[in-house]
Amino acid sequence: MRKIVGSIIALLVAFSASMAQKPQSVGLVLSGGGAKGIAHIGVIQALEDNDIPIDYVAGTSMGAIVGGLYAAGYTPDEMMQLIQSKGFAYWSTGKIDEKLTYYFAQPDPTPALVHFNLGESDSLRATSLLPTSLIDPLPMNFAFMDLFAPYTAQCGGDFNKLFVPLRTVTSDIYAKHKVVCRNGSLGDAIRTSMSFPLVFHPIEMDGVLMYDGGIYDNFPVDVMREDFAPDIMIGVDVSAPDGKPKSNDIMEQLEDMIIQNNDYDLPADEGIRVKVDVENFGLLDFGKARAIYQAGYDKAMSMMDSIRGRVTSRISADARGLRREVFKSQTPYLRFDSVSVTGGTQSQNDYIRYMFTRNDADTFGVERARDAYYRAITPGKLKNLLPKATYDADDGLFDLNLKATIKDDYRVGFGGYISSSTSSMLFLSGGYNTMNLNSMDLGVNGWIGQSYLAASVNARINLRTGVPSAIRFQGVASRQKFYETDKLFFEDNTPTFITDSELFGRFFYSMAAGRRGKVDAAIGFGHLVDKFFPSNHADFSASNRDVSSQNLAQLYAGYDYNTLDNRLNPCGGAAYKITAMGVYGRYHYEPSAENSGFAVERVDRGWGQIEASAKNYFGLSRKFVLGTEFTLLASTRKLLGTYNASIVDAPSFNPTASSYNSFNPALRANQFVTAGLAPIIKITDAVQIRGSFHGFMPFRKIVECPDYTARYGNWFSDPQFFGEMAAVIALPFASVSAYGNYTSYPARNWNFGISFGVFMLAPKFLR
């Protein structure tokens, strides 16, 4: 009997010992918090540095992103590299990388500050005056497919089969409850969990729009408990402390209104709560990723003794690394062999599909898919294009399914430029666009201002050619007045010195030249009229103005290359442009009655002209950018009968919007070269101090003779200077600027002003 009892006791002791040696399972719970959730990565790094295992992950919002990346085999270093990459900066803010777009396919820029599309039913109706999200979903769409589709394929849609089993939380605001994502598309599960209302575009799951999981469960402890029941949980809380939202922080107010469940409790007997102090960071402070990461790491390390005391299991770095390498080795390569498109008409779907299949290859990889995706969205005719990759295990390839949401054909735009100078104007536009294999774009633009009136008509038909090409028509009518507020010709409050009018049309054949370039060839006809006083010494209250008019034919060729990151306030990239034209026509000069010393002149004139410009912006540090700008204009244009006729006819140099305010003969010549520096201090991403300093050198200055005729001066003998400093608030659609500038002629020529909007004039016939 004693032997039996002893044997039972020995078995019980052995069983107890084996139970004590059983690995302790650890579940990691990650809260939402926007950019503050980058602290989760720091916590994970601290856990890995101390050999603490992570057996399960449950996350909400940013916690779902970090948890999803970890579950897909990303190391903390790889996660930080991703979050600090330019690609992440683009898609997390909705900005489209200019280097991925197609310059040839971009719509012509206009001064429109707002624009919307109109639908067509029995009558025109507004369909989308306001955006559905603050952040454009298009860049994020492709990024999430690229990042997560291979892992969805690897686990077969079962999140238990990832490198670490995963759960994410999203919100069904129609049914008013949370939804736990356990399977399906990994990218959709993560993205729905982070779709903060108004900020990010919602994702549809099973016919229902899903939003940020933090609305109903921002700290999914119960999800971890119910789905995985780990021996111990580590919960990382990056939420801000409960309190009244600040009146000047709209994102904090939205967060307080939207996040309904603020329960961040983790019972002590179930685990450890790591509360990271990140209240000084905002929801969208992704630019402060390194500091947020460090806050998470430091907090976890400060609690590591407690964590190590509660978590008895360990996994070595080598063992974890080996597991991760084995998992990654089994991840399929994202390669496609078929494309399908839904959402548009048959012709629209065919056009989008053609973007992806135009090379007729049997299969294609993610780089070509990205190229085609950005080629399709560049013209701006799509509200949304949602790609989804479906894996075929039989051949190891993916089917690419695209769901398109297409803008309505009619569009309207409003905008303009408000300035303390005379150059303020209102801008209106309307257009009609189609999207098919030979799409057509029609547009009408109008400028209305004190000193500037213009209207333009544009038409474009895209051709289905091996190299993308198009036929275009451009028609422009404009009238610009120059007021002499700077006393260049006469005192203030006198009549307009010059009225410059143009009416012309051009037919173009345009062709893409790589991703960021285009080539144009054109023929055009123009009627140009200048009205001006006969001399700078006239009695302007009594004098009429001389009139010169020209009827000109033009042959034009040009090459344009542009990688600037912003068309209004660039801080990176380059722009190169070269144009060549031949002009021939009839010139007619009619002197005013007071200018009887000059005869009526009717002559044929013609000339050739080449103009080249180069802009480059170099980021010397995170806060400082230096731009360089060069221009060369050479022509065989001859002088006209009077000085004023010649100087008005000569091309001008206008390096900034404010330099158009007045007529400055010192910055006009038939041939000239310029060189400039543009130092830029980026106080924040939106607030900049921008400089623009230029030297202007005419080949030969146009000189006024005593009898008011014109002659050329000495070669390269009259350099001029223009400099401007401006404080700029760079908004996504416009800019606010306070500026001061100086020109070397006339002496002491300082000007100051403020402006808001986009300064952009209609095209000129001879530039």
Side-chain angles (χ1 to χ4, degrees):
M1 185 68 179
R2 287 181 180 179
K3 289 182 179 180
I4 295 174
V5 171
S7 298
I8 293 174
I9 293 173
L11 287 172
L12 289 173
V13 170
F15 178 75
S16 298
S18 66
M19 289 297 291
Q21 294 172 3
K22 178 185 176 182
Q24 186 184 34
S25 60
V26 180
L28 182 65
V29 180
L30 305 176
S31 79
K36 295 177 285 188
I38 297 171
H40 295 319
I41 304 175
V43 172
I44 292 173
Q45 183 66 70
L47 296 176
E48 288 201 348
D49 286 349
N50 285 272
D51 296 337
I52 304 297
I54 299 172
D55 300 299
Y56 312 103
V57 180
T60 295
S61 195
M62 190 63 188
I65 295 179
V66 174
L69 289 171
Y70 191 78
Y74 277 69
T75 67
D77 281 345
E78 289 170 340
M79 284 189 269
M80 286 302 295
Q81 289 173 16
L82 173 65
I83 287 174
Q84 292 181 290
S85 68
K86 286 185 177 180
F88 182 91
Y90 282 123
W91 59 258
S92 65
T93 58
K95 183 179 179 181
I96 295 176
D97 185 352
E98 292 290 336
K99 293 180 180 178
L100 293 176
T101 59
Y102 280 82
Y103 189 54
F104 173 79
Q106 287 179 314
D108 292 333
T110 71
L113 304 181
V114 295
H115 54 272
F116 55 91
N117 289 74
L118 299 172
E120 184 178 19
S121 53
D122 294 333
S123 61
L124 294 179
R125 57 184 175 82
T127 58
S128 56
L129 297 182
L130 296 175
T132 56
S133 61
L134 295 177
I135 292 177
D136 188 340
L138 289 169
M140 191 177 291
N141 291 345
F142 194 90
F144 265 72
M145 182 193 72
D146 184 15
L147 283 171
F148 296 111
Y151 303 107
T152 301
Q154 183 175 1
C155 71
D158 182 355
F159 298 168
N160 287 334
K161 296 179 180 178
L162 292 166
F163 173 66
V164 172
L166 172 73
R167 297 293 183 267
T168 67
V169 177
T170 186
S171 296
D172 180 348
I173 61 172
Y174 177 76
K176 302 294 188 294
H177 63 72
K178 73 180 180 185
V179 174
V180 180
C181 298
R182 302 176 174 90
N183 48 54
S185 166
L186 179 59
D188 285 354
I190 295 171
R191 190 166 173 189
T192 57
S193 185
M194 58 158 283
S195 294
F196 197 80
L198 299 182
V199 178
F200 296 106
H201 194 277
I203 297 297
E204 188 176 297
M205 292 179 64
D206 298 326
V208 178
L209 293 178
M210 294 293 185
Y211 288 88
D212 194 293
I215 296 174
Y216 299 117
D217 189 356
N218 205 36
F219 195 47
V221 170
D222 58 339
V223 174
M224 176 64 70
R225 180 190 299 121
E226 293 166 8
D227 274 42
F228 297 122
D231 295 320
I232 189 168
M233 286 184 270
I234 300 173
V236 186
D237 174 12
V238 297
S239 64
D242 238 354
K244 295 180 179 179
K246 300 181 183 69
S247 61
N248 62 347
D249 192 333
I250 185 66
M251 294 307 301
E252 189 175 287
Q253 295 173 44
L254 280 173
E255 185 179 19
D256 201 64
M257 286 187 289
I258 291 170
I259 303 301
Q260 299 182 17
N261 183 1
N262 290 311
D263 182 8
Y264 297 97
D265 183 50
L266 175 56
D269 62 338
E270 294 187 73
I272 303 166
R273 175 170 169 257
V274 179
K275 178 69 176 76
V276 185
D277 181 10
V278 284
E279 60 183 282
N280 293 328
F281 301 100
L283 282 174
L284 300 178
D285 275 345
F286 291 101
K288 300 176 181 177
R290 182 53 60 179
I292 300 172
Y293 164 90
Q294 195 63 44
Y297 184 84
D298 292 344
K299 181 63 178 180
M301 290 301 294
S302 71
M303 297 179 63
M304 195 51 64
D305 288 344
S306 298
I307 295 172
R308 290 175 64 88
R310 294 286 305 276
V311 180
T312 58
S313 296
R314 298 288 183 271
I315 181 171
S316 68
D318 289 342
R320 184 189 296 110
L322 180 60
R323 272 198 62 226
R324 188 174 272 131
E325 288 303 315
V326 170
F327 177 82
K328 288 182 176 181
S329 70
Q330 298 171 349
T331 306
Y333 179 65
L334 191 58
R335 191 164 186 83
F336 305 96
D337 67 345
S338 69
V339 180
S340 63
V341 184
T342 59
T345 65
Q346 185 63 49
S347 62
Q348 290 168 339
N349 293 342
D350 288 345
Y351 167 77
I352 296 172
R353 186 176 182 277
Y354 172 72
M355 293 291 100
F356 291 82
T357 60
R358 55 196 301 269
N359 292 331
D360 296 324
D362 292 335
T363 63
F364 58 95
V366 69
E367 289 303 322
R368 210 187 94 189
R370 180 183 292 106
D371 177 271
Y373 180 84
Y374 279 91
R375 187 188 294 269
I377 68 175
T378 293
K381 298 178 182 180
L382 291 164
K383 289 182 183 177
N384 205 359
L385 184 61
L386 190 62
K388 183 166 290 189
T390 304
Y391 187 60
D392 186 341
D394 292 336
D395 59 16
L397 297 171
F398 289 80
D399 300 323
L400 180 59
N401 313 114
L402 298 144
K403 183 178 180 181
T405 306
I406 298 165
K407 292 180 180 179
D408 294 302
D409 292 339
Y410 296 93
R411 72 178 190 279
V412 177
F414 302 97
Y417 185 72
I418 300 172
S419 172
S420 56
S421 72
T422 60
S423 57
S424 296
M425 66 189 77
L426 175 69
F427 176 79
L428 306 170
S429 70
Y432 173 77
N433 302 310
T434 64
M435 190 173 73
N436 50 53
L437 292 173
N438 293 109
S439 60
M440 178 178 66
D441 301 320
L442 299 174
V444 178
N445 302 319
W447 292 257
I448 305 171
Q450 174 186 352
S451 60
Y452 189 75
L453 291 172
S456 71
V457 177
N458 301 282
R460 171 174 173 148
I461 298 176
N462 293 304
L463 305 177
R464 187 178 178 182
T465 53
V467 176
S469 62
I471 296 172
R472 297 191 293 127
F473 171 76
Q474 178 187 79
V476 176
S478 67
R479 187 218 67 195
Q480 185 171 10
K481 294 180 180 180
F482 292 95
Y483 294 90
E484 195 38 65
T485 58
D486 297 326
K487 302 183 182 179
L488 298 187
F489 288 87
F490 49 85
E491 295 182 358
D492 297 338
N493 304 318
T494 57
T496 308
F497 179 74
I498 296 169
T499 300
D500 176 20
S501 301
E502 295 192 3
L503 176 65
F504 68 87
R506 280 193 287 223
F507 289 91
F508 289 84
Y509 178 75
S510 301
M511 185 171 59
R515 186 189 293 269
R516 298 302 302 169
K518 63 179 180 179
V519 175
D520 291 314
I523 182 171
F525 301 90
H527 177 66
L528 283 59
V529 178
D530 292 315
K531 297 179 180 180
F532 48 89
F533 288 107
S535 77
N536 304 344
H537 312 289
D539 179 1
F540 302 109
S541 61
S543 295
N544 293 315
R545 290 184 291 177
D546 294 357
V547 178
S548 67
S549 62
Q550 304 180 76
N551 292 310
L552 302 172
Q554 177 192 79
L555 290 176
Y556 171 98
Y559 169 74
D560 200 353
Y561 173 86
N562 193 307
T563 61
L564 296 179
D565 59 358
N566 187 294
R567 66 185 176 93
L568 299 178
N569 301 290
C571 290
Y576 307 110
K577 186 172 184 178
I578 182 168
T579 62
M581 68 178 70
V583 181
Y584 186 82
R586 188 74 170 170
Y587 171 75
H588 177 205
Y589 170 71
E590 188 76 40
S592 65
E594 294 80 12
N595 198 15
S596 57
F598 290 91
V600 173
E601 187 178 2
R602 292 185 177 89
V603 297
D604 294 333
R605 69 184 304 223
W607 69 91
Q609 178 175 302
I610 294 177
E611 183 173 5
S613 63
K615 297 181 180 180
N616 286 275
Y617 291 86
F618 306 96
L620 303 182
S621 69
R622 184 179 175 188
K623 295 292 186 181
F624 186 71
V625 174
L626 182 63
T628 60
E629 301 183 11
F630 301 93
T631 306
L632 169 68
L633 188 146
S635 77
T636 61
R637 190 183 314 210
K638 291 180 169 50
L639 296 177
L640 300 175
T642 70
Y643 169 76
N644 279 358
S646 297
I647 201 70
V648 169
D649 183 62
S652 65
F653 174 58
N654 301 104
T656 68
S658 64
S659 66
Y660 286 85
N661 293 348
S662 59
F663 187 92
N664 191 333
L667 299 179
R668 285 177 170 254
N670 286 334
Q671 305 90 16
F672 60 80
V673 62
T674 74
L677 293 176
I680 302 164
I681 300 173
K682 297 194 293 183
I683 298 174
T684 68
D685 288 340
V687 180
Q688 305 170 2
I689 304 296
R690 300 183 70 94
S692 186
F693 306 102
H694 299 266
F696 172 89
M697 175 64 77
F699 288 12
R700 300 180 73 186
K701 179 183 177 182
I702 301 174
V703 179
E704 184 177 14
C705 299
D707 61 354
Y708 308 137
T709 59
R711 66 175 177 84
Y712 279 125
N714 295 327
W715 287 90
F716 301 107
S717 62
D718 195 64
Q720 299 293 330
F721 172 78
F722 176 91
E724 179 172 292
M725 289 294 296
V728 177
I729 301 175
L731 304 173
F733 53 88
S735 61
V736 181
S737 175
Y739 62 86
N741 63 43
Y742 171 81
T743 51
S744 55
Y745 176 87
R748 298 181 297 279
N749 186 20
W750 290 93
N751 295 280
F752 301 90
I754 57 174
S755 66
F756 166 76
V758 178
F759 183 84
M760 186 179 297
L761 304 181
K764 302 283 286 182
F765 186 59
L766 297 175
R767 296 300 294 273

